[in-house]
């Protein structure tokens, strides 16, 4: 059904691969920004367990065009996110999805997560190369080519994981400099592209890396551990590319977000704290020394929900939070309860960004004029709120204001 005349225009985002490393982070961001979202997957119950009971999920076989058609929004524009796992059916699944979406003539833009450019140039994961070509011929699109995920190497699972944390161990990439990128930052870039005002202003391809190259040994040593070179069952050609060609840093991530991406060492320290708090066994670092309570609290009240409640108070600093009142069920020391998600008090309370920082973020939204800014702000107020941008920047920044051309990056 078409939206009524005069209704806010905010296209639904269809997420294929919503339970994957990047997809689930993207859904979390879109829900936070009140963006209509449909998560596609084979198992709806599993998806709702991972993404939240309120997430709209549709059971879909990406190899079956009819189930895809049934899951897409009816008679209204939508935008598409695609991140399918590597495998023998990958190209077929993505081709079917692209063909169905293109045939609707309602898909405004598609974002595909591919793999790092050096990996493609080495002839590995040919399915990604062919899928990129198919997408280029069918839909307006942005290709994301992330470096190796920090979650892949510094997480607990998988053939490249570090289950021992900061303890002594071995790793095949121990001494290899890699510009690791966080999947959270990749999801944030995808989210920014998918909520942009004018999709024609989106980049066609983005090489996504972290802010600097680092070795596993360097990152782990900062946490007090020791990692030495080891072996891996993964193909030798793939490992050689990872070890020798992923050290180059791209600034596409920072340009797409408006701020610096997460460093590998920062991600790893957060990951160690997350493991320690979620296991429910470490009273020494648990909130108020209660390990089981801390683990249960974190699983019942996610950080995004607690932050949303706190932002609604209109407070401006830590002192206000401590003196004027803590939201119901929120922790008195949120940084201690959520060290893995904590980005500072300004982020937690929703304090408006300083002008130069706000300008960099505002320029990532693809808005071309003052009129389009206000239209966007009325249609998508939760996006500006989440990004800590003011509705009336010309009034909010006072003497610091330098004009709409400077704010939106449209000055000649």
């Amino acid at each position: 059904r078409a939206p009524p005349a005069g209704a806010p225009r905010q296209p639904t985002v269809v997420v294929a691969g919503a339970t994957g490393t990047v997809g689930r982070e993207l859904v979390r961001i879109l829900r936070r920004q009140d963006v209509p979202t449909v998560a596609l997957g084979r198992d709806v119950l599993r998806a709702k367990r991972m993404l939240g009971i309120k997430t709209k999920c549709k059971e879909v076989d990406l190899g079956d065009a009819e189930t895809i058609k049934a899951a897409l929004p009816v008679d209204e524009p939508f935008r598409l996110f695609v991140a399918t796992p590597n495998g023998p059916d990958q190209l077929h699944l993505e081709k079917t999805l692209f063909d169905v979406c293109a045939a609707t003539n309602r898909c405004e833009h598609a974002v595909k997560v591919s793999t790092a450019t050096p990996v493609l140039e080495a002839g590995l994961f040919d399915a990604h190369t062919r899928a990129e070509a198919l997408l280029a011929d069918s839909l307006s699109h942005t290709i994301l080519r992330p470096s190796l995920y920090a979650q892949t190497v510094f997480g607990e699972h998988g053939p490249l994981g570090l289950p021992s944390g900061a303890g002594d161990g071995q790793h095949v990439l121990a001494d290899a400099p890699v510009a690791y990128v966080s999947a959270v930052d990749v999801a944030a870039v995808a989210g920014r592209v998918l909520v942009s005002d004018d999709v024609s202003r989106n980049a066609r391809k983005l090489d996504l890396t972290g802010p600097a190259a680092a070795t596993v040994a360097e990152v782990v040593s900062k946490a007090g551990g020791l990692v030495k070179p080891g072996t891996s069952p993964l193909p030798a050609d793939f490992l050689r590319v990872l070890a020798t060609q992923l050290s180059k840093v791209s600034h596409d991530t920072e340009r797409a977000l408006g701020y610096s991406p997460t460093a590998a060492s920062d991600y790893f320290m957060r990951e160690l704290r997350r493991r320690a708090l979620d296991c429910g066994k470490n009273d020494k670092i648990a909130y108020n020394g209660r390990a089981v309570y801390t683990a249960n609290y974190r699983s019942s009240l996610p950080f995004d929900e607690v932050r949303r409640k706190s932002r609604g108070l209109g407070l401006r600093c830590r002192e206000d939070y401590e003196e004027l009142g803590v939201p119901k069920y929120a922790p008195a020391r949120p940084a201690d309860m959520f060290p893995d998600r904590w980005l500072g008090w300004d982020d937690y309370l929703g304090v408006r960004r300083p002008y130069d920082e706000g300008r960099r973020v505002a320029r990532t939204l693809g808005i071309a004029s003052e009129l389009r800014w206000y239209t966007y702000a009325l249609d998508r107020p939760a996006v500006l709120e989440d990004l800590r941008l003011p509705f009336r920047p010309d009034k909010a920044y006072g003497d610091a204001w330098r004009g709409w051309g400077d704010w939106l990056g449209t000055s000649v």
Side-chain angles (χ1 to χ4, degrees), residues 281-355:
K281 299 177 181 179
N282 192 333
D283 286 331
K284 290 184 178 180
I285 70 166
Y287 190 83
N288 289 340
R290 300 162 63 191
V292 174
Y293 165 81
T294 300
N296 289 338
Y297 182 99
R298 285 167 53 87
S299 65
S300 302
L301 265 181
F303 173 73
D304 285 347
E305 178 64 19
V306 175
R307 181 174 61 175
R308 183 186 65 79
K309 292 177 179 291
S310 299
R311 286 187 171 190
L313 296 176
L315 305 178
R316 290 288 160 256
C317 62
R318 174 179 181 174
E319 289 72 18
D320 288 350
Y321 186 83
E322 294 174 345
E323 294 177 9
L324 300 180
V326 175
K328 189 176 183 180
Y329 303 124
R333 303 187 313 282
D336 293 340
M337 180 62 80
F338 299 105
D340 52 323
R341 293 286 186 182
W342 186 255
L343 297 175
W345 282 99
D346 284 354
D347 172 77
Y348 185 68
L349 298 176
V351 178
R352 184 178 65 236
R353 295 178 185 273
Y355 178 80

Side-chain angles (χ1 to χ4, degrees), residues 169-193:
Q170 294 183 334
H171 198 281
V172 68
L173 299 177
D175 295 330
V178 176
Y180 295 104
V181 65
S182 170
V184 177
D185 289 330
V186 175
V189 171
R192 204 68 59 83
V193 172

Side-chain angles (χ1 to χ4, degrees), residues 125 148 152-153 157-163 169-174 176 180 216 227-243:
F125 298 112
L148 191 57
T152 299
V153 173
H157 308 294
L160 287 175
L162 272 177
Q170 294 183 334
H171 198 281
V172 68
L173 299 177
Y180 295 104
V216 173
V227 171
K228 298 180 179 180
T231 59
S232 170
L234 293 175
D237 289 344
F238 177 56
L239 291 173
R240 183 172 61 254
V241 173
L242 297 186

